[in-house]
């Protein structure tokens, strides 16, 4: 492929193109290296060109040129994905949408925005009007709305609103196709769900409409417990307490808190810790519950008056990030435990080979413990054994050590997602290699 000539064509259409090899390398990668398996598989994958689009018309131009030259196109938001989601397996163009970052309109309970808007910027504007994002990943300071819809799944707020894929969270989207004559499709409600967690394999999202939640005077609390079991029982009780409004409950089994050096003043040696974001209106009830379970409330601060850390950045996969900053050999899993009995059983079985980090979320109306346990990695074989032991115990795993959509999820093909890809990307140019079912499907 004559990349210089292709870059020239893109520039002639008024597009900003980056072909400097070191920048192409930097903008081709994400946080794939949390997995030692993906680190080996993906480290050399590179785009040939980075192209920036500033509006939907420019996206259409990029789509037309990629179809004309038959070159792969991978969309990038902020590049904070975990499984090489935006790493181009077959090179080609990376379409950077970080400059499409406008909030287009707010209405009570929902917002319409461009895909490159940072979640934190969107949340700030919503909060000024008494609303906020229903759900946010721990990367929300930098991650984009388009990247969260295309690659994310859960986060702060999931204890109330479940997963991104739950009905009602995504209201609508505009999406650019890679047909011979690229089109803009407008998808509503159910139709738009095919874009969720699709890794940009079935269209380029150019606009999103998402639901918002009423905001509250949030406070961040740290509660320490002598035993992991006491911490989990308190956390589940708090999660189930309908009268205490909260948006985040996480449990870190000892010795995980030792990795959080910035929180040292509020953590107790040899204790497990529960991190909570709770409405200040419910402070008294929350403190009473802490007392009831024998916990020690070591920190309670209103977010509005906080100057130091943000507790969210010690939860979800930031726990892995912080632990790996101390010990690079650590990796992680994504586990749906389902109940505390299973959590306790696996905790006892593995000891500190698998250090349990729980996050509570709503699944089919129930609030269940899921989590991202830290694993002391030794070999690929042992990692597979650890996953098998979890599955045999009845837990389910979304495997973060694979780069295809299906293998990273429940192993099932989503027929709607595949059918939509066949329609909008007949040449299979969008993020090739990530949708496994496409590789084995009879093409349109
Ligand atoms: C430390 C750490 C903590 C994390 N915590 C969480 C968490 O709490 N919850 C969670 O769900 N995830 C989490 N993640 C994963 C990731 O941060 C989120 O999914 C984030 O929302 C991705 O946003 P991004 O802008 O960085 O997307 P990117 O990484 O740039 O993209 C993600 C995927 O979406 C696709 N995409 C991006 N924009 C578009 C578009 N406009 N149209 C079509 N496809 C598009 C990309 O091609 C890619 O496949 C974490 C990751 C790290 C490293």
């Amino acid at each position: 492929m004559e990349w210089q000539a292709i870059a020239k064509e893109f520039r002639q259409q008024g597009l900003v193109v980056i072909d400097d090899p070191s920048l192409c390398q930097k903008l081709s990668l994400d946080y794939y290296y949390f997995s030692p398996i993906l680190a080996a598989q993906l480290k050399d994958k590179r785009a040939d060109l980075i192209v920036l689009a500033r509006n939907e018309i420019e996206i259409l131009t990029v789509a037309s040129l990629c179809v004309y030259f038959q070159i792969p196109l991978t969309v990038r938001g902020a590049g904070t994905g975990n499984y090489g989601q935006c790493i181009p397996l077959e090179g080609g163009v990376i379409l950077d949408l970080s400059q499409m970052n406008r909030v287009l309109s707010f209405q009570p309970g929902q917002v319409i925005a461009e895909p490159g808007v940072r979640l934190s910027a969107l949340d700030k504007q919503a909060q000024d009007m008494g609303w906020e994002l229903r759900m946010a990943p721990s990367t929300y300071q930098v991650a984009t709305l388009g990247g969260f819809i295309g690659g994310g799944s859960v986060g702060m707020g999931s204890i109330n609103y479940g997963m991104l894929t739950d009905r009602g969270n995504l209201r609508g989207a505009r999406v650019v196709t890679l047909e011979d004559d690229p089109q803009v499709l407008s998808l509503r409600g159910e139709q738009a769900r095919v874009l969720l967690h699709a890794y940009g394999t079935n269209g380029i999202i150019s606009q999103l409409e998402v639901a918002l939640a009423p905001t509250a005077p949030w406070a961040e609390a740290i509660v320490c417990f002598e035993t992991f079991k006491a911490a989990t029982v308190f956390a589940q009780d708090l999660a189930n307490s309908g009268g205490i409004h909260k948006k985040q409950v996480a449990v870190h089994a000892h010795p995980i808190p030792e990795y959080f050096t910035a929180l040292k003043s509020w953590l107790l040696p040899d204790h497990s810790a529960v991190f909570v974001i709770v409405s200040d209106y419910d402070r008294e009830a929350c403190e009473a519950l802490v007392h009831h379970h024998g916990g020690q409330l070591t920190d309670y601060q209103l977010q509005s008056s906080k100057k130091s850390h943000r507790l969210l950045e010690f939860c979800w996969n930031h726990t892995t990030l912080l632990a790996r900053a101390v010990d690079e050999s650590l990796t992680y899993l994504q586990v749906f435990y389902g109940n505390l009995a299973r959590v306790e059983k696996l905790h006892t079985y593995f000891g500190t080979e698998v250090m349990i980090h729980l996050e509570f979320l709503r699944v089919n109306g129930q609030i269940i413990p899921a989590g991202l346990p830290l694993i002391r990695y030794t070999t690929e074989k042992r990692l597979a054994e650890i996953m098998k032991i979890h599955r045999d115990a009845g837990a389910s795993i979304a495997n973060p050590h694979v780069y295809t959509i299906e293998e990273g999820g429940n192993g099932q093909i989503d027929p709607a997602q595949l059918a939509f890809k066949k329609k909008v990307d007949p040449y299979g140019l969008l993020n090739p290699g990530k949708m496994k079912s496409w590789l084995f499907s009879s093409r349109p």
Side-chain angles (χ1 to χ4, degrees), residues 75 77-82 85 137-139 144 147-148 152-154 199-200 205 316:
V75 191
T80 67
N82 283 123
Q85 289 169 324
S138 58
T139 46
T144 65
F148 191 39
S153 45
V154 282
Y199 299 4
I205 301 165
W316 300 97

Side-chain angles (χ1 to χ4, degrees), residues 240-353:
N240 291 348
S241 296
I244 303 178
H245 187 35
K246 63 265 160 191
K247 63 173 175 178
Q248 172 65 25
V249 177
V251 183
H252 297 297
H254 169 72
I256 295 178
E258 289 175 6
Y259 294 116
F260 303 150
T261 42
L263 300 183
K264 216 172 164 189
S265 350
W266 297 287
L267 295 168
L268 302 178
D270 303 325
H271 281 57
S272 294
V274 184
F275 291 177
V276 178
I277 302 182
V278 61
S279 167
D280 191 49
Y281 296 143
D282 296 319
R283 177 175 186 163
E284 191 182 347
C286 184
E287 284 183 353
L289 197 67
V290 172
H291 181 71
H292 174 76
H293 285 277
Q296 296 187 57
L297 183 67
T298 53
D299 188 34
Y300 184 96
Q301 294 184 54
L302 271 179
Q303 275 184 343
S304 56
S305 57
K306 270 187 94 159
K307 297 219 166 34
S308 59
H309 62 272
R310 279 181 284 261
L311 212 51
L312 175 61
E313 288 168 4
F314 295 82
C315 298
W316 300 97
N317 226 3
H318 263 74
T319 304
T320 316
L321 179 83
L322 294 166
R324 281 178 47 84
V326 178
D327 179 355
E328 247 187 35
S329 71
L330 293 172
T331 188
Y332 73 113
L333 286 177
Q334 303 176 138
V335 183
F336 291 86
Y337 295 95
N339 60 54
L340 288 189
R342 193 170 289 131
V343 170
E344 189 58 24
K345 188 175 164 192
L346 289 163
H347 176 63
T348 309
Y349 181 85
F350 284 111
T352 57
E353 184 184 16

Side-chain angles (χ1 to χ4, degrees), residues 164-178:
L164 274 175
T165 44
D166 281 330
R167 272 187 190 83
N169 287 329
L170 173 61
R171 297 279 165 89
R174 281 169 69 86
V175 62
V176 174
T177 71
L178 257 75

